[in-house]
Amino acid sequence: MLFNLLVMPWIAQRNIQEVDYGTFMTMTVNKQIDQVQVQDNQIVFTDKENEQIYKTGIMDDPGLVERLHSSGAKFTSEIVQQMSPFFSFLLSWLLPIIILVGIGQSMQKKLMNKAGGGGDSMMFGMGKSNAKIYVNSSEGIKFSDVAGQDEAKENLAEIVDYLHDPSIYKEIGASMPKGVLLVGPPGTGKTMLAKAVAGEARVPFFSISGSEFVEMFVGMGASKVRDLFKQAKEKAPCIVFIDEIDAIGKKRDGNFGGNDEREQTLNQLLSEMDGFEGNNGVIILAATNRPESLDPALTRPGRFDRRVPVELPDLTGREEILKVHAKKIKVAHDIDFNKIARMASGASGAELANIVNEAALRAVRDNRSFATQADLEESIEVVVAGYQKKNAILSDKEKAIVAYHEIGHALVAAKQTHSAPVQKITIIPRTSGALGYTMQVDEGNRYLMSKEEMENRIATYTGGRAAEEVSLGSITTGASNDIEQATKLARAMITRYGMSKDFDMVAMETVNNQYLGGDTSLACSHETQAEIDRQVVELVKKQHEKAKQILTENKQKLDELAKYLYEKETITGDEFMSILNK
Ligand code: ADP
Ligand code: ZN
């Protein structure tokens, strides 16, 4: 339509020949003019013989109309060029179709190039899956490369065993699960585990990310799934690994305007999984960190019926992961991995790998040939709090405030018997925006926390602000993060852990996605909400008062320690304790 609207008039225009007024007058006299149209700024006319269209400018010519009339010209309101019907059909219909087909072809080529499809099936290459194939996975990752995660490895060892020798399983009539779902927070080694299964079993490994299935065009994802399974069945026994399966496996809901493409892809995946028999040697591993958002159809028996949790590593797990990664770099002989692991509490495998790498980078920066304990400790701080801001200069007054603030945290923590001892206190600003921080170290694994411990932790959070109040009599914005943390903890105690006096064991809040930030949603009446808010304030207030009391009782130590920190800028836990116990 656009073509006919814009291009056709243009083509018609092009055929008009411009002549001078004299020629026009001569043609009038010679009675050569067939049709004529006098417009505002030009005269358009045709001649009798070859039907050519001419145009010429307007002149002040009063007798023109008379002369034209007597020459036998026909006055018309519009002159259209008579094209041959065949030619105009060609132009207005065939040409646009040819252009469209051309565009289509080139797009298809582009898509196929992207899909990396070979030249074998050019015509039907659309939507070929771009699963990467690691055929020779025997030289790939092994279980020994994945540290910690012993339960997950045990769980997956059975699958390796099956892929090695399915006959034992077939004999007894047992069938392997078709799909295994690896769930856990990001960076805990899910992808590594899947690769390790293929590596141990020495089978091909197909890997594709869930988001790669979701294409612009409806139906492309589904055809990718079909293609992936076709390839996999040819290569069986093998592992198919789908990363971030939540990208396609989200719960289908009845909402208007749902994602058609995603649902079609999911349906195709479901029917492919049902389609192959249990024992054909294709095992699908999938990873997600949002298991609660998966469609129930995906997790029902016969599909992804086995779920392997891949949690954040515990203390021994962290130590092992550090050791595995430290093997890849040159390190000093006397490294205390246990201490590093304790300092990096809550870190994931990926973060630990990053910490080791940062240490190696630091060693290079300092022109050393190996990384030391200090490198590792500093790189934990880099990963946790960012780089030291070398040129951020605090004014003396600010520096004193930060010193009091940090000593406040540490002193409150140390004076409460249940709090973990302090590892290090520093008032060197970091790129994350922290002006200083107190690093606490857990002595061992903690799986449970008592109500008192949680209260003490809140008191420790408030300790920074309390120190400002007790010693300087004014308060600053430096406590904003502490306030957030204290509130979060207090809220959780009341709404989720049943630690308030009058809600008993009723859940007021539910966690939405435990592996990603763990945001919560309230499930209670307005009155209860108001009551929760009141109790949170009361709880934090009480601990704040307690912190203030502790600091007032130890005002002398507070001053002494803050002065020491102000001068030294960084002090260790041991220095802190020796001054405290002097
Ligand atoms: P996920 O798939 O769970 O997000 P990955 O398997 O991609 O995490 O892990 C990312 C990186 O983190 C790995 O390449 C590896 O270097 C490191 N890593 C994570 N977990 C472990 C572990 N348990 N042992 C050793 N390295 C690990
Ligand atoms: Zn603080």
Side-chain angles (χ1 to χ4, degrees):
M1 281 168 76
L2 267 177
F3 183 83
N4 277 322
L5 220 79
L6 300 175
V7 182
M8 289 297 283
W10 180 72
I11 288 174
Q13 279 282 314
R14 257 169 62 99
N15 286 328
I16 297 176
Q17 192 182 336
E18 186 151 13
V19 293
D20 64 56
Y21 200 76
T23 315
F24 170 60
M25 278 165 72
T26 319
M27 283 171 79
T28 315
V29 171
N30 293 347
K31 298 196 161 76
Q32 279 173 320
I33 290 175
D34 184 25
Q35 296 182 341
V36 64
Q37 183 194 12
V38 182
Q39 296 174 352
D40 286 347
N41 52 355
Q42 62 179 9
I43 299 166
V44 184
F45 59 99
T46 61
D47 74 355
K48 279 177 181 158
E49 282 125 54
N50 49 17
E51 290 186 344
Q52 169 72 42
I53 304 180
Y54 301 92
K55 66 178 179 187
T56 185
I58 287 271
M59 292 296 241
D60 189 18
D61 188 349
L64 176 68
V65 180
E66 286 287 287
R67 264 183 292 128
L68 278 171
H69 182 61
S70 59
S71 79
K74 293 177 225 131
F75 295 94
T76 57
S77 60
E78 193 176 2
I79 292 183
V80 274
Q81 188 175 26
Q82 295 298 309
M83 253 191 278
S84 77
F86 174 70
F87 185 64
S88 84
F89 168 77
L90 213 69
L91 232 87
S92 58
W93 290 106
L94 236 50
L95 199 63
I97 289 173
I98 290 169
I99 290 174
L100 278 179
V101 170
I103 292 174
Q105 286 268 333
S106 71
M107 269 177 83
Q108 181 176 346
K109 270 218 189 91
K110 241 185 228 156
L111 281 170
M112 264 172 33
N113 284 350
K114 204 181 97 194
D120 48 352
S121 53
M122 286 303 260
M123 280 306 281
F124 307 103
M126 224 164 160
K128 248 182 155 359
S129 85
N130 35 5
K132 297 166 219 102
I133 311 173
Y134 296 67
V135 181
N136 205 353
S137 51
S138 51
E139 49 194 355
I141 295 169
K142 289 285 172 59
F143 273 152
S144 57
D145 295 313
V146 189
Q149 310 300 0
D150 291 331
E151 300 79 12
K153 279 196 259 182
E154 204 171 290
N155 226 318
L156 294 169
E158 194 182 31
I159 289 170
V160 173
D161 196 37
Y162 166 78
L163 288 170
H164 266 313
D165 185 9
S167 61
I168 313 168
Y169 291 82
K170 278 182 186 154
E171 228 164 71
I172 206 166
S175 60
M176 262 294 125
K178 289 176 190 170
V180 178
L181 202 57
L182 301 165
V183 297
T188 44
K190 298 184 288 295
T191 313
M192 269 189 109
L193 275 167
K195 282 186 187 164
V197 171
E200 291 281 339
R202 295 170 190 247
V203 295
F205 180 71
F206 293 80
S207 135
I208 191 163
S209 166
S211 55
E212 283 174 57
F213 285 119
V214 184
E215 291 273 351
M216 187 164 51
F217 304 112
V218 174
M220 291 270 291
S223 91
K224 273 191 174 179
V225 172
R226 226 173 294 133
D227 198 73
L228 174 65
F229 278 89
K230 198 168 135 258
Q231 285 184 38
K233 275 182 229 165
E234 280 164 13
K235 286 265 190 322
C238 67
I239 302 273
V240 173
F241 177 61
I242 306 176
D243 206 355
E244 299 166 59
I245 193 162
D246 42 287
I248 46 169
K250 249 191 232 129
K251 277 195 193 91
R252 290 165 292 185
D253 42 20
N255 284 353
F256 177 72
N259 192 332
D260 260 353
E261 163 63 354
R262 221 192 53 220
E263 288 186 10
Q264 279 207 16
T265 311
L266 177 57
N267 287 338
Q268 185 65 40
L269 181 65
L270 295 179
S271 66
E272 285 289 346
M273 290 190 77
D274 288 341
F276 61 76
E277 314 82 56
N279 279 329
N280 74 349
V282 180
I283 302 254
I284 308 161
L285 300 181
T288 179
N289 30 42
R290 320 182 48 183
E292 71 287 334
S293 75
L294 289 181
D295 196 289
L298 205 56
T299 47
R300 80 140 166 78
R303 289 169 185 155
F304 288 102
D305 47 2
R306 189 173 290 189
R307 181 187 275 228
V308 176
V310 186
E311 297 286 346
L312 286 175
D314 56 12
L315 180 58
T316 36
R318 288 199 298 276
E319 196 177 332
E320 277 169 38
I321 294 173
L322 282 170
K323 279 181 185 157
V324 164
H325 286 281
K327 275 194 200 119
K328 297 178 195 159
I329 66 166
K330 286 212 177 86
V331 288
H333 298 295
D334 56 345
I335 296 223
D336 184 356
F337 284 108
N338 184 275
K339 186 175 172 205
I340 313 279
R342 271 192 287 128
M343 285 171 77
S345 84
S348 68
E351 279 166 329
L352 291 169
N354 191 13
I355 285 169
V356 172
N357 191 49
E358 275 292 336
L361 291 177
R362 214 176 97 99
V364 173
R365 236 176 281 141
D366 291 359
N367 286 323
R368 269 176 286 113
S369 55
F370 55 86
T372 62
Q373 177 89 16
D375 288 330
L376 281 162
E377 283 178 21
E378 169 62 22
S379 65
I380 288 180
E381 287 173 56
V382 168
V383 172
V384 172
Y387 288 94
Q388 288 189 359
K389 259 197 211 162
K390 288 268 158 55
N391 48 5
I393 299 177
L394 295 182
S395 70
D396 278 349
K397 186 157 172 251
E398 278 174 329
K399 212 170 126 188
I401 294 172
V402 177
Y404 268 108
H405 181 105
E406 296 305 332
I407 292 292
H409 285 304
L411 199 56
V412 173
K415 283 286 166 190
Q416 299 172 121
T417 44
H418 297 291
S419 281
V422 190
Q423 167 75 29
K424 178 174 175 178
I425 309 167
T426 164
I427 53 169
I428 298 171
R430 294 275 168 170
T431 45
S432 67
L435 295 177
Y437 62 89
T438 303
M439 189 186 260
Q440 295 196 16
V441 177
D442 287 329
E443 276 307 318
N445 280 323
R446 303 301 302 274
Y447 299 105
L448 287 175
M449 249 173 113
S450 69
K451 189 178 172 195
E452 288 72 44
E453 284 169 323
M454 293 184 92
E455 284 174 351
N456 286 347
R457 190 164 280 197
I458 296 176
T460 305
Y461 284 134
T462 60
R465 167 63 68 83
E468 293 175 28
E469 288 166 307
V470 168
S471 56
L472 308 165
S474 72
I475 53 179
T476 67
T477 53
S480 61
N481 185 42
D482 302 333
I483 291 171
E484 231 170 81
Q485 302 273 0
T487 313
K488 216 167 159 187
L489 198 56
R491 254 196 118 71
M493 283 175 71
I494 288 163
T495 58
R496 286 170 32 218
Y497 300 130
M499 291 181 179
S500 72
K501 39 187 186 315
D502 28 40
F503 292 143
D504 206 56
M505 287 180 62
V506 178
M508 299 296 171
E509 241 175 22
T510 47
V511 178
N512 292 336
N513 42 19
Q514 65 188 111
Y515 295 127
L516 299 170
D519 43 336
T520 53
S521 48
L522 271 174
C524 57
S525 69
H526 282 298
E527 295 78 47
T528 316
Q529 276 182 33
E531 178 62 17
I532 289 171
D533 291 337
R534 203 188 54 71
Q535 292 203 14
V536 169
V537 174
E538 189 186 321
L539 177 58
V540 175
K541 218 178 198 168
K542 193 170 155 213
Q543 297 310 314
H544 188 182
E545 289 304 324
K546 184 169 106 188
K548 271 199 272 191
Q549 196 195 335
I550 290 175
L551 293 176
T552 317
E553 282 164 11
N554 297 280
K555 178 105 193 340
Q556 209 189 340
K557 288 283 176 203
L558 175 66
D559 290 335
E560 190 183 344
L561 282 160
K563 188 159 169 286
Y564 187 73
L565 178 61
Y566 175 85
E567 277 157 12
K568 286 260 188 171
E569 294 200 338
T570 300
I571 62 173
T572 64
D574 295 337
E575 284 175 289
F576 175 86
M577 289 315 275
S578 71
I579 294 178
L580 186 61
N581 296 330
K582 202 163 53 184

